[in-house]
Amino acid sequence: MNTDPMVPDLFRVQKVRKETLDTFTLELSPKQKKFRFEPGQFNMLYVSGAGEIPISISGNPNQPESLIHTTRAVGSVTNAMRKLKAGDYLGVRGPFGTKWPVDKAMGDDVVIITGGIGLAPLRPAVYDILAKRGRYGNVVLLYGARTPEDILYPKEIMGWRSRFDMDVHVTVDRAAGSWHSNVGVVTKLIPKAPFDPQNTTAFICGPEVMIRFTTQELKKRGLSDDKIYVSMERNMKCAIGFCGHCQLGPYFVCKDGPVFRYDEIKRLLEIREV
Amino acid sequence: MTHAVLERPDLKSLFNILQKAGYTTIAPTVRDNVITYENVTDQSELPIGMTDDQKNGSYRLKKRKDKSVFGFVVGPQSWKKFLYPARLKLWEAHRNGKSFSIAKPENEEKKLAFIGVRPCEMSAISIQDKVFLKSTFVDSAYSSRREQLFTVIVNCTEPGGTCFCTSMDTGPRAKKDYDLALTEVVKKDQHYFLVEIGSDQGKEIANKLPLKEASEEQVSEADKRLNEAARKMGKALKTDGVKDLLYENAENPHWEKVAERCMTCANCTMVCPTCFCSTMEDSTDLSGEIAERWRTWDSCFTMDFSYVHGGSIRNSSSARYRQWLTHKLGSWQDQFGTSGCVGCGRCITWCPVGIDITEEIKTLQECDSRKSKSN
Ligand SMILES: Cc1cc2nc3c(=O)[nH]c(=O)nc-3n(C[C@H](O)[C@H](O)[C@H](O)COP(=O)(O)OP(=O)(O)OC[C@H]3O[C@@H](n4cnc5c(N)ncnc54)[C@H](O)[C@@H]3O)c2cc1C
Ligand code: SF4
Ligand code: SF4
Ligand code: FES
């Protein structure tokens, strides 16, 4: 292992899987056999010559033999990453950041609310909760995608949905005739979701507007701010608290986040362009 | 000997002794009409008999009437450029087939001695120590330079037109963290430096200097000048409650007014001795065989700084100025337990439109939105 947190380790691409039109999953094999991480943490991924970006770990924390990242191609680095093939190499620094409070949530109902690519950073939390299923109350996943074709991990979602011990509700913004499920924004699923607001922990990952509306709906159900956790996104160049890019008020999202308890950052989310 | 003096002609030996001890001596000198810090091997290269006239948005070098060696305050560049270089190669990758190997350049092992560090600048170094050495991670390039550093303070007997170290409690006399501290006294018949020892390695060097016992009069003269200096600050900033002031006034319309003047040129962040933000630059050679990653200084005033896919978080210049000021005087306290401003005045002097951090705070204090709410 490198001792300098700014110098990446090399990982070999084992498998590339196309998830949706613009989203793909890389399975990487660590040289050191195991890559331990907590659900919610991220890595800095370096693509030779293109640059380095933060990407959450989307694999199973209880299977550290392979490192899984799901990425949506949106710009220069992510598009260069999309061109990688099995056998290519990638630079990895991490894991960094705070985790989803899977331990603190034990005994509570857990409601996971996310949209689009936001499911990737939450999948490790789902795996972890399902691995210790008996220690939680109801487990609910509310997921929104643009169209049915944009739904991430559809087979896995089907598998979760068919379980008796998990409630999964998926909605899309727009759909053609063959879609027989919910249409509309994900927040619409909150009022009827089966959880006890007095004993629920919520995990949210999505754009800031989505976070705003989701927290409002949860509040209407009676959830208190300190039971809501959100993952924040900021520009990140170092991931270790030096470059300053990820600042959100007094916080460095790279090390004080990305997962925050909502009451800690509520004030900041209300300020324009903070 | 309780107090010691170094006579003006013996200043030469300070350089010699530090060089003999293996240090590269860095000190102020005149370059391109400003005083900067460079590799200075002999005292004759110091800005002897020079001073700097500083105002909002203006800096001018002038000849002094006397032969003071340190009769100026601070120039546009700070010592930051040595401990935290503006460009630093982080690593180099070499391609071999589909894989590549990554190697870090050797840390430069030069022992540096800074001669002529102002008290506010010593505080700035201590602040950057908190950022790079005392938070979650350690910056190895910074620590290898910092650990071997020797600092010679020159206390300020003549504050500049944009100085406000008294307000920030960082000067005009250094209190801690240094190795040696000098106070220069120039009189008709005397020219000497009162010497104070701040550390064991300071003592080691001091023992080799041709020091003389200071007379009571020499000590009190230096004291008197430093006390007077504290009363002659060019600017003042009322720091009481300034963090809450900034936090509570995030939506104050005053930010728009500053934005009308601010050119978001980032000068203020480049000259500031505590600003630590950086970005990364990637390059590859033409063959694609070698890739490099460099760290370079960056500024919260640029549009790219807060870019995430789809646009910048801080699009408007008012949001960027607010970020800078709120960080300096507010959130810095939450992050590092200290203010991010030492009152050196550089951002005032080097702002092309003369925006003044002390004035902006004063205006915010006057138009504090909490006041209008309670009315
Ligand atoms: C903690 C964290 C976890 C993330 N996890 C995932 C994930 O699991 N899957 C995924 O697809 N995306 C994730 N993202 C977003 C991802 O980092 C950006 O989509 C990516 O940086 C875009 O890079 P680009 O060069 O392709 O885009 P461009 O638009 O070309 O961006 C140029 C540069 O701006 C910066 N940048 C742009 N967008 C972002 C952004 N959203 N966040 C941070 N820096 C940005 C990067 O330095 C990037 O190289 C995460 C972001 C953060 C902060
Ligand atoms: S904010 Fe201005 S006065 Fe304060 S330390 Fe930085 S440059 Fe000096
Ligand atoms: S405050 Fe002055 S120096 Fe700073 S960015 Fe604005 S114009 Fe430039
Ligand atoms: S990403 Fe550099 S400080 Fe957080």
Side-chain angles (χ1 to χ4, degrees):
Chain A
M1 207 40 190
N2 268 308
T3 47
D4 189 325
M6 283 310 290
V7 180
D9 280 317
L10 290 182
F11 281 55
R12 188 174 179 275
V13 178
Q14 290 297 97
K15 238 188 249 163
V16 184
R17 192 168 40 250
K18 188 170 183 243
E19 302 284 0
T20 69
L21 208 57
D22 60 3
T23 304
F24 57 95
T25 295
L26 297 180
E27 192 179 320
L28 309 171
S29 65
K31 275 197 179 141
Q32 278 71 33
K33 301 280 192 294
K34 288 198 164 96
F35 190 93
R36 299 207 177 276
F37 70 98
E38 303 279 1
Q41 287 193 302
F42 66 95
N43 280 325
M44 293 300 283
L45 301 185
Y46 169 77
V47 184
S48 186
E52 191 186 49
I53 51 167
I55 299 289
S56 301
I57 306 168
S58 62
N60 191 332
N62 303 307
Q63 289 167 13
E65 300 76 26
S66 64
L67 172 62
I68 313 275
H69 284 287
T70 302
T71 307
R72 187 155 88 94
V74 295
S76 52
V77 182
T78 46
N79 274 306
M81 197 184 289
R82 175 151 71 166
K83 298 201 182 89
L84 292 175
K85 296 189 179 63
D88 287 342
Y89 281 81
L90 193 74
V92 177
R93 298 194 289 125
F96 298 117
T98 53
K99 62 174 198 167
W100 296 109
V102 282
D103 307 319
K104 248 197 215 148
M106 282 179 186
D108 274 4
D109 292 346
V110 178
V111 55
I112 294 170
I113 309 168
T114 180
I117 186 73
L119 183 56
L122 275 161
R123 190 168 68 165
V126 174
Y127 287 144
D128 206 51
I129 288 168
L130 292 180
K132 300 163 193 152
R133 182 62 190 89
R135 303 199 206 165
Y136 299 89
N138 290 355
V139 176
V140 184
L141 171 68
L142 309 179
Y143 178 60
R146 276 174 299 179
T147 71
E149 291 72 44
D150 289 309
I151 294 171
L152 193 57
Y153 315 135
K155 280 201 191 120
E156 236 170 336
I157 291 179
M158 288 262 266
W160 294 336
R161 194 147 62 175
S162 61
R163 291 175 67 125
F164 289 104
D165 58 359
M166 185 171 177
D167 276 283
V168 178
H169 301 276
V170 179
T171 181
V172 294
D173 294 343
R174 59 196 140 78
S178 60
W179 177 257
H180 297 296
S181 191
N182 306 300
V183 175
V185 289
V186 70
T187 43
K188 277 202 193 161
L189 302 173
I190 297 171
K192 279 193 255 159
F195 59 84
D196 167 16
Q198 302 312 312
N199 294 297
T200 292
T201 303
F203 300 173
I204 309 173
C205 184
E208 275 176 49
V209 274
M210 177 267 193
I211 293 175
R212 206 163 302 138
F213 288 116
T214 304
T215 49
Q216 278 170 15
E217 283 302 322
L218 289 172
K219 209 166 177 82
K220 279 189 207 154
R221 288 280 310 258
L223 223 70
S224 68
D225 291 342
D226 61 356
K227 287 290 202 129
I228 302 175
Y229 291 80
V230 300
S231 185
M232 294 301 295
E233 214 178 301
R234 279 292 181 275
N235 187 298
M236 289 184 184
K237 294 292 173 200
C238 74
I240 55 177
F242 291 152
C243 78
H245 282 250
C246 67
Q247 285 177 87
L248 171 67
Y251 302 113
F252 291 101
V253 174
C254 66
K255 57 175 198 175
D256 303 319
V259 178
F260 289 96
R261 211 173 70 194
Y262 179 59
D263 59 331
E264 293 171 340
I265 55 162
K266 188 179 174 192
R267 172 186 79 84
L268 296 162
L269 291 184
E270 284 161 4
I271 304 169
R272 152 199 73 92
E273 293 184 50
V274 74
Chain B
M1 197 153 54
T2 49
H3 289 279
V5 294
L6 183 72
E7 294 291 350
R8 168 64 183 90
D10 294 329
L11 186 60
K12 202 175 175 50
S13 60
L14 178 63
F15 284 81
N16 294 342
I17 284 162
L18 283 167
Q19 285 154 8
K20 270 204 198 106
Y23 289 102
T24 300
T25 43
I26 315 279
T29 191
V30 176
R31 291 270 161 97
D32 302 326
N33 292 317
V34 295
I35 292 171
T36 70
Y37 302 136
E38 307 292 341
N39 189 345
V40 164
T41 49
D42 187 83
Q43 60 83 30
S44 61
E45 298 165 59
L46 296 167
I48 297 163
M50 299 299 290
T51 192
D52 46 4
D53 189 15
Q54 303 201 31
K55 296 195 198 75
N56 293 26
S58 125
Y59 176 100
R60 219 153 35 86
L61 273 192
K62 281 195 318 199
K63 280 222 161 60
R64 295 176 61 90
K65 291 201 189 82
D66 63 19
K67 289 277 173 220
S68 286
V69 183
F70 296 101
F72 47 88
V73 279
V74 295
Q77 295 180 349
S78 65
W79 306 94
K80 172 168 100 170
K81 67 176 182 177
F82 297 102
L83 297 174
Y84 166 55
R87 271 179 72 74
L88 180 77
K89 194 200 272 188
L90 292 176
W91 47 259
E92 199 177 278
H94 290 260
R95 178 169 288 285
N96 36 37
K98 283 187 165 183
S99 180
F100 48 97
S101 58
I102 297 181
K104 212 180 124 177
E106 289 296 309
N107 277 334
E108 202 183 317
E109 293 297 339
K110 253 197 247 164
K111 276 167 72 177
L112 300 180
F114 292 172
I115 300 171
V117 179
R118 298 297 173 170
C120 65
E121 299 184 297
M122 194 65 234
S123 293
I125 292 172
S126 304
I127 289 173
Q128 287 214 323
D129 287 352
K130 290 200 168 125
V131 176
F132 291 124
L133 304 176
K134 294 171 192 161
S135 36
T136 323
F137 293 88
V138 171
D139 182 321
S140 58
Y142 185 91
S143 90
S144 71
R145 290 167 168 80
R146 179 67 176 99
E147 268 163 22
Q148 310 193 64
L149 180 67
F150 191 94
T151 49
V152 182
I153 298 281
V154 173
N155 287 322
C156 289
T157 50
E158 284 177 39
T162 57
C163 292
F164 56 104
C165 61
T166 315
S167 302
M168 306 316 290
D169 197 24
T170 62
R173 175 183 219 146
K175 282 183 238 158
K176 51 175 200 250
D177 299 331
Y178 60 82
D179 294 311
L180 289 176
L182 311 179
T183 305
E184 184 176 22
V185 176
V186 187
K187 291 167 80 175
K188 237 195 249 136
D189 51 342
Q190 283 190 55
H191 190 169
Y192 65 90
F193 301 94
L194 190 78
V195 180
E196 287 163 282
I197 291 165
S199 72
D200 291 344
Q201 59 170 347
K203 190 167 202 160
E204 236 171 82
I205 295 293
N207 283 340
K208 295 179 186 152
L209 288 170
L211 297 179
K212 293 187 186 139
E213 173 130 30
S215 69
E216 240 171 71
E217 189 268 328
Q218 282 178 315
V219 176
S220 65
E221 181 64 29
D223 278 347
K224 194 182 98 198
R225 291 187 181 206
L226 290 173
N227 290 337
E228 272 166 17
R231 287 193 296 272
K232 285 195 298 205
M233 289 292 141
K235 307 269 177 194
L237 193 152
K238 229 173 79 204
T239 55
D240 288 353
V242 74
K243 181 177 105 177
D244 290 338
L245 174 83
L246 288 160
Y247 284 7
E248 298 293 329
N249 282 278
E251 304 280 12
N252 193 307
H254 178 64
W255 299 113
E256 299 296 339
K257 297 213 180 100
V258 195
E260 283 168 19
R261 287 173 284 145
C262 175
M263 296 152 62
T264 64
C265 66
N267 267 14
C268 49
T269 51
M270 294 294 118
V271 296
C272 180
T274 68
C275 273
F276 59 82
C277 288
S278 61
T279 190
M280 304 299 158
E281 271 175 24
D282 287 294
S283 66
T284 31
D285 69 340
L286 285 178
S287 65
E289 292 299 305
I290 301 172
E292 291 178 347
R293 174 153 266 238
W294 288 75
R295 182 190 73 188
T296 61
W297 286 359
D298 200 6
S299 167
C300 56
F301 279 95
T302 72
M303 200 65 149
D304 281 351
F305 190 83
S306 64
Y307 180 83
V308 290
H309 177 68
S312 292
I313 305 250
R314 290 177 216 111
N315 232 313
S316 63
S317 28
S318 62
R320 283 177 267 156
Y321 186 84
R322 179 185 67 192
Q323 166 63 23
W324 179 69
L325 196 60
T326 307
H327 188 212
K328 277 284 111 156
L329 294 167
S331 37
W332 210 295
Q333 296 186 34
D334 286 328
Q335 293 170 347
F336 304 106
T338 169
S339 171
C341 173
V342 298
C344 73
R346 286 184 175 92
C347 56
I348 306 172
T349 301
W350 295 97
C351 175
V353 294
I355 295 174
D356 180 338
I357 182 170
T358 66
E359 284 297 324
E360 297 312 323
I361 289 295
K362 205 163 120 203
T363 311
L364 270 183
Q365 280 160 342
E366 280 158 9
C367 68
D368 188 345
S369 55
R370 289 171 297 184
K371 284 193 215 157
S372 45
K373 260 184 223 152
S374 56
N375 282 347

